[in-house]
Amino acid sequence: QGLVRDTTDITVTVDGVPAALTGQAWQAVFPALPEGPHVFRIEATDAAGNLTRVTRDVMVDLAPPGVTITAPVAGALTREAVTAVIGTVQDRSAVSVTVNGLAAAVTGFGPFLFEVAGVPLVEGDNRLRALATDATGRTGEAEVTLARDSIPPVVELLAPESLARSRSGQLVAAATDNLGVEHVTFTVAGHLLARLTTAPYQAEMRVPEGASPGDTLLVSAEATDRAGNTASVSRAVRVAAEGVVVGQVLSDATGLPLAGATVRVAGTSDEATVTDERGRYSLRAQDDRLVLIAEKDGLTAVEREVTVAAGAGTLPLDARLTPLAAPVTVTPEGGVLSVPGRLEVAVPAGAF
């Protein structure tokens, strides 16, 4: 529609279709136009046959905006408190876009690109809804669901207390997570030992080159969940000596070798041996300093502190076990405690 002025009668056509005239105003109705760009050609002719032509370029926009969210992808998982939402809009006119009510930056034209940098997230599932509005007021939307998990996994680690260079040790980690463990890594003294993606989470460790007896190695297990949350735990593993302790256990009463005596390392339950018929024993040392205990039923026990040289046997002083005296009962009426030929102690009545 438009206006036309002339001193004579005028006819107006639009794309060859006669327009209705009311005074100086004219109007042409087109019930259907194809989607896309269109050029209207308007011609006005007066009574003398003079002709005026005018063109107008228009964009026919009949469809609502087509919205696509390209990031994050549907069903994705994150540990972050906010996320960026990026996408495209297909439309023939200018658009504005909001994501969960936040205005997006829109660039380009057909397709338009939009982005919102910091959409806040809550723990669990989050619906991200992008709403586009074009110049005609039509709207289109798209939605994806993004899960947020900020809870780290739980990890525990079992490691040997000490380890000699000639032996290997087993590292065992137990890792759990509310949404699933992605992987577990083991490190020894800061160096990666293993990266495991499925349980059981186990790795075999050895003493690294350059470590000496008495050194402490920091062994760690780190669990990472599907969202990227991590948790770690560490244990100290002492580098043990590799020496072998050898010796002999004798009877203090006879001076002869004592078979069947137990020789063990104080403070341990698995480092022990029994003397042979010559009273001899051989015991692998797992530390550079240890206390040996030699014992047998009916005899006194003897302790010896030993310094173990790495890679070499150490001969401690022979252990001599003395027979225990037979028990003597002393009543309130008194009695005598004696070692035949050596000592006699009289206990008077009423001493107890």
Coordinates of all heavy atoms in Angstrom, one line a residue, residues 165-249:
R165 N 64.5 -53.6 47.5 CA 64.7 -53.4 46.1 C 64.5 -54.7 45.4 O 64.0 -54.8 44.2 CB 66.1 -52.9 45.8 CG 66.4 -52.6 44.4 CD 67.8 -52.0 44.2 NE 68.0 -50.8 45.0 CZ 67.6 -49.6 44.6 NH1 66.9 -49.5 43.4 NH2 67.8 -48.6 45.3
S166 N 64.8 -55.8 46.0 CA 64.7 -57.1 45.3 C 63.2 -57.7 45.3 O 63.0 -58.7 44.7 CB 65.6 -58.2 46.0 OG 65.2 -58.3 47.4
R167 N 62.3 -57.0 45.9 CA 60.9 -57.4 46.0 C 60.0 -56.4 45.3 O 60.3 -55.3 45.1 CB 60.5 -57.7 47.4 CG 61.3 -58.8 48.1 CD 60.6 -59.0 49.5 NE 61.3 -60.2 50.2 CZ 60.9 -60.7 51.3 NH1 59.8 -60.2 51.9 NH2 61.5 -61.7 51.9
S168 N 58.8 -56.9 45.0 CA 57.8 -56.0 44.5 C 56.7 -55.9 45.5 O 56.5 -56.8 46.4 CB 57.2 -56.6 43.2 OG 56.6 -57.9 43.4
G169 N 55.9 -54.9 45.5 CA 54.8 -54.6 46.4 C 53.5 -54.4 45.6 O 53.5 -53.8 44.5
Q170 N 52.4 -54.8 46.3 CA 51.1 -54.6 45.6 C 50.4 -53.4 46.1 O 50.3 -53.2 47.4 CB 50.3 -55.8 45.9 CG 49.0 -55.9 45.1 CD 49.1 -56.4 43.7 OE1 50.2 -56.6 43.2 NE2 48.0 -56.6 43.0
L171 N 50.0 -52.5 45.2 CA 49.2 -51.4 45.6 C 47.7 -51.7 45.2 O 47.5 -52.1 44.1 CB 49.6 -50.1 44.8 CG 51.1 -49.7 45.0 CD1 51.4 -48.4 44.2 CD2 51.4 -49.5 46.5
V172 N 46.8 -51.4 46.1 CA 45.4 -51.7 45.9 C 44.6 -50.5 46.3 O 44.7 -50.0 47.4 CB 44.9 -53.0 46.7 CG1 43.4 -53.2 46.4 CG2 45.8 -54.2 46.3
A173 N 43.8 -50.0 45.3 CA 42.9 -48.8 45.6 C 41.5 -49.3 45.5 O 41.1 -50.1 44.6 CB 43.2 -47.7 44.6
A174 N 40.7 -48.7 46.4 CA 39.2 -48.9 46.3 C 38.6 -47.5 46.0 O 38.8 -46.6 46.8 CB 38.7 -49.5 47.6
A175 N 37.9 -47.3 44.9 CA 37.4 -46.1 44.5 C 35.9 -46.2 44.2 O 35.5 -47.1 43.5 CB 38.1 -45.5 43.3
T176 N 35.1 -45.3 44.7 CA 33.7 -45.2 44.5 C 33.2 -43.8 44.2 O 33.9 -42.9 44.6 CB 32.9 -45.8 45.7 OG1 33.2 -45.0 46.8 CG2 33.2 -47.2 45.9
D177 N 32.1 -43.7 43.4 CA 31.6 -42.3 43.1 C 30.1 -42.5 42.9 O 29.6 -43.5 42.5 CB 32.3 -41.8 41.8 CG 31.9 -40.4 41.5 OD1 32.3 -39.5 42.2 OD2 31.1 -40.2 40.6
N178 N 29.4 -41.4 43.1 CA 27.9 -41.4 42.9 C 27.5 -41.6 41.5 O 26.4 -42.1 41.2 CB 27.3 -40.1 43.5 CG 27.9 -38.9 42.9 OD1 29.0 -38.8 42.6 ND2 27.0 -37.9 42.7
L179 N 28.3 -41.1 40.5 CA 28.0 -41.3 39.1 C 28.9 -42.2 38.3 O 28.7 -42.5 37.2 CB 27.9 -39.9 38.4 CG 26.8 -39.0 38.9 CD1 26.8 -37.7 38.1 CD2 25.4 -39.7 38.8
G180 N 30.0 -42.6 39.0 CA 30.9 -43.5 38.3 C 32.3 -43.0 38.2 O 32.6 -41.8 38.0
V181 N 33.3 -43.9 38.4 CA 34.7 -43.6 38.4 C 35.2 -43.7 36.9 O 35.0 -44.7 36.2 CB 35.5 -44.6 39.3 CG1 37.0 -44.3 39.1 CG2 35.1 -44.4 40.7
E182 N 35.9 -42.7 36.5 CA 36.5 -42.7 35.1 C 37.8 -43.4 35.0 O 38.0 -44.3 34.2 CB 36.7 -41.2 34.6 CG 37.2 -41.1 33.2 CD 36.1 -41.4 32.2 OE1 34.9 -41.5 32.5 OE2 36.5 -41.7 31.0
H183 N 38.7 -43.1 36.0 CA 40.0 -43.8 36.0 C 40.6 -43.6 37.4 O 40.3 -42.7 38.1 CB 40.9 -43.4 34.9 CG 41.3 -42.0 34.9 ND1 40.7 -41.0 34.1 CD2 42.3 -41.3 35.6 CE1 41.2 -39.9 34.3 NE2 42.2 -40.0 35.2
V184 N 41.6 -44.5 37.7 CA 42.4 -44.3 38.9 C 43.9 -44.4 38.4 O 44.3 -45.2 37.6 CB 42.2 -45.5 39.9 CG1 43.2 -45.4 41.0 CG2 40.7 -45.4 40.4
T185 N 44.7 -43.5 39.0 CA 46.1 -43.5 38.7 C 46.9 -43.7 39.9 O 46.6 -43.3 41.0 CB 46.6 -42.1 38.1 OG1 46.3 -41.0 39.0 CG2 45.9 -41.8 36.7
F186 N 48.0 -44.4 39.8 CA 49.0 -44.7 40.8 C 50.3 -43.9 40.5 O 50.8 -44.0 39.4 CB 49.3 -46.2 41.0 CG 48.2 -47.0 41.5 CD1 47.4 -47.7 40.6 CD2 47.9 -47.0 42.9 CE1 46.4 -48.5 41.1 CE2 46.8 -47.8 43.3 CZ 46.1 -48.5 42.5
T187 N 50.9 -43.2 41.5 CA 52.2 -42.6 41.3 C 53.1 -43.0 42.4 O 52.6 -43.2 43.6 CB 52.1 -41.1 41.3 OG1 51.4 -40.6 42.5 CG2 51.2 -40.6 40.1
V188 N 54.4 -43.1 42.1 CA 55.4 -43.5 43.1 C 56.4 -42.4 43.0 O 57.0 -42.2 42.0 CB 56.0 -44.8 42.9 CG1 57.1 -45.1 43.9 CG2 55.0 -45.9 43.0
A189 N 56.6 -41.7 44.1 CA 57.6 -40.6 44.2 C 57.3 -39.6 43.1 O 58.3 -39.0 42.5 CB 59.0 -41.1 44.1
G190 N 56.1 -39.3 42.8 CA 55.7 -38.3 41.8 C 55.7 -38.8 40.4 O 55.4 -38.0 39.4
H191 N 56.1 -40.0 40.1 CA 56.1 -40.6 38.8 C 54.9 -41.5 38.5 O 54.6 -42.4 39.4 CB 57.4 -41.3 38.5 CG 58.6 -40.4 38.6 ND1 59.0 -39.5 37.7 CD2 59.6 -40.3 39.6 CE1 60.1 -38.9 38.1 NE2 60.5 -39.4 39.3
L192 N 54.3 -41.4 37.4 CA 53.1 -42.2 37.0 C 53.5 -43.7 37.0 O 54.5 -44.1 36.2 CB 52.5 -41.8 35.7 CG 51.3 -42.6 35.3 CD1 50.1 -42.4 36.2 CD2 50.9 -42.1 33.8
L193 N 52.8 -44.5 37.7 CA 53.1 -46.0 37.7 C 52.0 -46.7 36.8 O 52.4 -47.6 36.0 CB 53.0 -46.5 39.1 CG 53.1 -48.1 39.2 CD1 54.5 -48.5 38.7 CD2 52.9 -48.5 40.7
A194 N 50.7 -46.3 37.0 CA 49.7 -47.0 36.2 C 48.5 -46.1 36.1 O 48.2 -45.3 37.0 CB 49.3 -48.3 36.8
R195 N 47.7 -46.3 35.1 CA 46.4 -45.6 34.9 C 45.4 -46.6 34.5 O 45.5 -47.2 33.4 CB 46.5 -44.5 33.8 CG 45.2 -43.7 33.6 CD 45.4 -42.6 32.5 NE 44.3 -41.7 32.4 CZ 43.2 -42.0 31.7 NH1 43.1 -43.1 31.0 NH2 42.2 -41.1 31.6
L196 N 44.4 -46.9 35.4 CA 43.4 -47.9 35.2 C 42.0 -47.4 35.1 O 41.6 -46.5 35.8 CB 43.5 -48.9 36.4 CG 44.9 -49.5 36.7 CD1 44.9 -50.2 38.0 CD2 45.4 -50.4 35.6
T197 N 41.3 -47.9 34.1 CA 39.9 -47.4 33.8 C 38.8 -48.4 34.4 O 37.7 -48.0 34.4 CB 39.7 -47.2 32.3 OG1 40.0 -48.5 31.6 CG2 40.7 -46.2 31.8
T198 N 39.2 -49.6 34.8 CA 38.3 -50.5 35.3 C 38.8 -51.1 36.6 O 40.0 -51.3 36.8 CB 37.9 -51.6 34.3 OG1 39.1 -52.3 33.9 CG2 37.2 -51.0 33.1
A199 N 37.9 -51.5 37.5 CA 38.3 -52.2 38.7 C 38.6 -53.7 38.3 O 38.1 -54.2 37.3 CB 37.2 -52.2 39.7
P200 N 39.5 -54.4 39.1 CA 40.1 -53.9 40.4 C 41.3 -53.0 40.0 O 42.0 -53.1 39.0 CB 40.6 -55.2 41.0 CG 40.8 -56.1 39.8 CD 39.8 -55.8 38.9
Y201 N 41.4 -52.0 40.9 CA 42.5 -51.0 40.7 C 43.7 -51.5 41.5 O 43.9 -51.2 42.7 CB 42.0 -49.6 41.2 CG 40.7 -49.2 40.5 CD1 39.6 -49.1 41.3 CD2 40.7 -48.9 39.2 CE1 38.4 -48.7 40.7 CE2 39.5 -48.5 38.6 CZ 38.4 -48.4 39.3 OH 37.2 -48.0 38.7
Q202 N 44.6 -52.2 40.8 CA 45.8 -52.7 41.4 C 47.0 -52.5 40.5 O 46.9 -52.4 39.3 CB 45.6 -54.2 41.6 CG 44.4 -54.6 42.5 CD 44.3 -56.1 42.7 OE1 45.0 -56.9 42.0 NE2 43.3 -56.5 43.5
A203 N 48.2 -52.3 41.2 CA 49.4 -52.1 40.4 C 50.6 -52.7 41.3 O 50.5 -52.7 42.5 CB 49.6 -50.6 40.1
E204 N 51.6 -53.1 40.6 CA 52.8 -53.7 41.2 C 53.8 -52.6 41.2 O 54.2 -52.0 40.2 CB 53.2 -54.9 40.5 CG 54.4 -55.6 41.1 CD 54.9 -56.9 40.4 OE1 54.2 -57.9 40.6 OE2 55.8 -56.8 39.6
M205 N 54.4 -52.3 42.4 CA 55.4 -51.3 42.5 C 56.8 -51.9 42.9 O 56.8 -53.0 43.5 CB 55.1 -50.2 43.5 CG 55.1 -50.7 45.0 SD 55.1 -49.3 46.1 CE 56.8 -48.6 45.9
R206 N 57.8 -51.3 42.5 CA 59.2 -51.6 42.9 C 59.9 -50.4 43.3 O 59.5 -49.2 43.0 CB 59.9 -52.3 41.7 CG 59.4 -53.7 41.4 CD 60.3 -54.4 40.4 NE 59.8 -55.8 40.1 CZ 60.2 -56.8 40.8 NH1 61.0 -56.7 41.9 NH2 59.7 -58.0 40.6
V207 N 61.0 -50.6 44.1 CA 61.8 -49.4 44.5 C 62.4 -48.8 43.3 O 63.1 -49.5 42.6 CB 62.8 -49.9 45.6 CG1 63.7 -48.7 46.0 CG2 62.1 -50.4 46.8
P208 N 62.3 -47.5 43.1 CA 62.9 -46.8 41.9 C 64.4 -46.7 42.1 O 64.9 -46.8 43.2 CB 62.2 -45.5 41.9 CG 61.8 -45.2 43.3 CD 61.4 -46.5 43.9
E209 N 65.1 -46.6 41.0 CA 66.5 -46.4 41.0 C 66.9 -45.1 41.7 O 66.2 -44.1 41.6 CB 67.0 -46.3 39.5 CG 66.9 -47.6 38.7 CD 67.8 -48.7 39.3 OE1 68.8 -48.4 39.9 OE2 67.4 -49.9 39.2
G210 N 67.9 -45.2 42.5 CA 68.4 -44.0 43.2 C 67.9 -44.0 44.7 O 68.4 -43.2 45.5
A211 N 66.9 -44.8 45.0 CA 66.4 -44.8 46.4 C 67.3 -45.7 47.2 O 67.7 -46.8 46.8 CB 64.9 -45.4 46.4
S212 N 67.5 -45.3 48.4 CA 68.4 -46.0 49.3 C 67.6 -46.6 50.6 O 66.6 -46.0 50.9 CB 69.5 -45.1 49.8 OG 70.3 -44.6 48.7
P213 N 68.2 -47.6 51.2 CA 67.5 -48.1 52.4 C 67.4 -47.0 53.4 O 68.3 -46.2 53.7 CB 68.5 -49.2 52.9 CG 69.2 -49.7 51.7 CD 69.4 -48.4 50.8
G214 N 66.2 -46.9 54.0 CA 65.9 -45.9 55.0 C 65.1 -44.7 54.3 O 64.5 -43.9 55.1
D215 N 65.1 -44.6 53.0 CA 64.4 -43.5 52.3 C 62.9 -43.8 52.5 O 62.4 -45.0 52.6 CB 64.7 -43.4 50.9 CG 66.1 -42.8 50.7 OD1 66.7 -42.3 51.6 OD2 66.6 -42.9 49.5
T216 N 62.1 -42.8 52.3 CA 60.6 -42.9 52.3 C 60.1 -42.5 51.0 O 60.4 -41.4 50.5 CB 60.0 -42.1 53.4 OG1 60.5 -42.5 54.7 CG2 58.5 -42.2 53.4
L217 N 59.3 -43.4 50.4 CA 58.7 -43.2 49.1 C 57.2 -42.8 49.3 O 56.5 -43.5 50.1 CB 58.7 -44.4 48.2 CG 60.1 -45.0 47.9 CD1 60.0 -46.3 47.1 CD2 61.0 -44.0 47.1
L218 N 56.8 -41.7 48.7 CA 55.4 -41.3 48.7 C 54.6 -42.0 47.6 O 54.9 -41.7 46.4 CB 55.2 -39.8 48.7 CG 53.8 -39.3 48.9 CD1 53.4 -39.5 50.4 CD2 53.7 -37.8 48.6
V219 N 53.7 -42.8 48.0 CA 52.9 -43.6 47.0 C 51.4 -43.0 47.0 O 50.9 -42.8 48.1 CB 52.8 -45.1 47.3 CG1 51.9 -45.8 46.3 CG2 54.3 -45.6 47.3
S220 N 50.9 -42.7 45.9 CA 49.6 -42.0 45.8 C 48.6 -42.7 44.9 O 49.1 -43.3 43.8 CB 49.7 -40.5 45.4 OG 50.5 -39.8 46.4
A221 N 47.3 -42.7 45.2 CA 46.3 -43.1 44.3 C 45.3 -42.0 44.1 O 44.9 -41.4 45.1 CB 45.6 -44.4 44.8
E222 N 45.0 -41.6 42.9 CA 44.1 -40.5 42.6 C 42.9 -41.1 41.7 O 43.2 -41.7 40.7 CB 44.8 -39.4 41.8 CG 43.8 -38.2 41.5 CD 44.5 -37.1 40.9 OE1 44.7 -37.1 39.6 OE2 44.9 -36.1 41.6
A223 N 41.7 -40.8 42.2 CA 40.5 -41.3 41.4 C 39.9 -40.1 40.8 O 39.8 -39.0 41.4 CB 39.5 -42.0 42.4
T224 N 39.5 -40.2 39.5 CA 38.8 -39.2 38.8 C 37.4 -39.7 38.3 O 37.3 -40.8 37.8 CB 39.6 -38.8 37.5 OG1 40.9 -38.3 37.9 CG2 38.9 -37.6 36.8
D225 N 36.4 -38.9 38.6 CA 35.1 -39.4 38.2 C 34.7 -38.9 36.8 O 35.5 -38.2 36.1 CB 34.0 -39.0 39.2 CG 33.7 -37.5 39.3 OD1 34.2 -36.8 38.5 OD2 33.1 -37.1 40.3
R226 N 33.5 -39.2 36.3 CA 33.1 -38.9 34.9 C 33.0 -37.4 34.7 O 33.1 -36.9 33.6 CB 31.8 -39.5 34.6 CG 31.9 -41.1 34.5 CD 30.5 -41.7 34.3 NE 29.8 -41.0 33.2 CZ 28.4 -40.8 33.2 NH1 27.7 -41.2 34.3 NH2 27.9 -40.2 32.2
A227 N 32.8 -36.6 35.8 CA 32.6 -35.2 35.7 C 34.0 -34.5 35.8 O 34.0 -33.2 35.6 CB 31.7 -34.6 36.7
G228 N 35.0 -35.2 36.1 CA 36.4 -34.6 36.3 C 36.7 -34.3 37.7 O 37.8 -33.7 37.9
N229 N 35.9 -34.6 38.7 CA 36.2 -34.4 40.1 C 37.3 -35.4 40.4 O 37.3 -36.5 40.0 CB 35.0 -34.6 41.0 CG 33.9 -33.6 40.6 OD1 34.1 -32.4 40.8 ND2 32.8 -34.1 40.2
T230 N 38.2 -35.0 41.3 CA 39.3 -35.9 41.7 C 39.4 -36.0 43.2 O 39.0 -35.0 44.0 CB 40.7 -35.4 41.2 OG1 41.0 -34.1 41.7 CG2 40.7 -35.4 39.6
A231 N 40.0 -37.1 43.7 CA 40.3 -37.3 45.1 C 41.5 -38.2 45.2 O 41.7 -39.1 44.3 CB 39.1 -37.9 45.9
S232 N 42.4 -37.9 46.1 CA 43.6 -38.7 46.2 C 43.9 -39.0 47.6 O 43.5 -38.4 48.6 CB 44.8 -37.9 45.6 OG 45.0 -36.7 46.3
V233 N 44.7 -40.1 47.8 CA 45.2 -40.5 49.1 C 46.6 -41.0 48.9 O 47.0 -41.5 47.9 CB 44.3 -41.7 49.6 CG1 44.3 -42.9 48.7 CG2 44.7 -42.1 51.0
S234 N 47.5 -40.8 49.9 CA 48.9 -41.2 49.9 C 49.3 -42.0 51.0 O 48.7 -42.0 52.1 CB 49.7 -39.9 49.8 OG 49.5 -39.1 48.7
R235 N 50.3 -42.8 50.8 CA 50.9 -43.7 51.9 C 52.4 -43.6 51.7 O 53.0 -43.4 50.6 CB 50.5 -45.1 51.7 CG 49.0 -45.4 51.9 CD 48.6 -45.2 53.4 NE 47.2 -45.5 53.6 CZ 46.2 -44.6 53.6 NH1 46.6 -43.3 53.5 NH2 45.0 -45.0 53.8
A236 N 53.1 -43.7 52.9 CA 54.5 -43.6 52.9 C 55.1 -45.1 52.9 O 54.6 -45.9 53.8 CB 55.1 -42.9 54.2
V237 N 55.9 -45.4 52.0 CA 56.6 -46.7 51.9 C 58.0 -46.6 52.2 O 58.7 -45.9 51.5 CB 56.3 -47.4 50.6 CG1 57.0 -48.7 50.5 CG2 54.8 -47.5 50.3
R238 N 58.5 -47.2 53.2 CA 60.0 -47.2 53.6 C 60.8 -48.1 52.7 O 60.4 -49.3 52.5 CB 60.1 -47.4 55.1 CG 61.5 -47.3 55.6 CD 61.5 -47.4 57.1 NE 60.5 -48.2 57.6 CZ 60.6 -49.6 57.7 NH1 61.7 -50.1 57.3 NH2 59.6 -50.3 58.2
V239 N 61.9 -47.7 52.2 CA 62.8 -48.5 51.5 C 63.6 -49.4 52.5 O 64.3 -48.8 53.3 CB 63.8 -47.7 50.6 CG1 64.7 -48.6 49.8 CG2 63.0 -46.8 49.6
A240 N 63.4 -50.7 52.4 CA 64.0 -51.6 53.4 C 65.4 -52.1 52.9 O 65.7 -52.1 51.7 CB 63.1 -52.8 53.6
A241 N 66.2 -52.5 53.8 CA 67.5 -53.1 53.5 C 67.3 -54.4 52.9 O 66.3 -55.1 53.1 CB 68.4 -53.1 54.7
E242 N 68.4 -54.9 52.2 CA 68.3 -56.2 51.5 C 69.2 -57.3 52.1 O 69.5 -58.3 51.6 CB 68.6 -56.1 50.0 CG 67.7 -55.2 49.3 CD 68.1 -55.0 47.9 OE1 69.0 -54.2 47.6 OE2 67.5 -55.6 47.0
G243 N 69.7 -57.0 53.3 CA 70.7 -57.9 54.0 C 70.0 -59.2 54.5 O 68.8 -59.3 54.6
V244 N 70.8 -60.1 54.8 CA 70.4 -61.4 55.5 C 71.1 -61.5 56.8 O 72.3 -61.5 56.9 CB 70.7 -62.6 54.6 CG1 70.3 -63.9 55.3 CG2 70.0 -62.5 53.2
V245 N 70.3 -61.7 57.8 CA 70.8 -61.9 59.2 C 71.0 -63.4 59.4 O 70.0 -64.2 59.3 CB 69.9 -61.3 60.2 CG1 70.5 -61.5 61.6 CG2 69.7 -59.8 60.0
V246 N 72.2 -63.8 59.8 CA 72.4 -65.2 60.2 C 73.0 -65.3 61.6 O 73.6 -64.3 62.0 CB 73.4 -65.9 59.2 CG1 72.8 -65.9 57.8 CG2 74.7 -65.1 59.1
G247 N 72.8 -66.4 62.2 CA 73.4 -66.5 63.6 C 73.1 -67.9 64.1 O 72.7 -68.8 63.4
Q248 N 73.4 -68.1 65.5 CA 73.3 -69.3 66.1 C 72.7 -69.1 67.5 O 73.1 -68.2 68.2 CB 74.6 -70.1 66.2 CG 74.5 -71.5 66.7 CD 75.9 -72.2 66.8 OE1 76.9 -71.5 67.1 NE2 75.9 -73.5 66.5
V249 N 71.8 -70.0 67.9 CA 71.2 -69.9 69.3 C 71.8 -71.1 70.0 O 71.7 -72.3 69.6 CB 69.7 -70.0 69.2 CG1 69.1 -69.9 70.6 CG2 69.2 -68.8 68.4

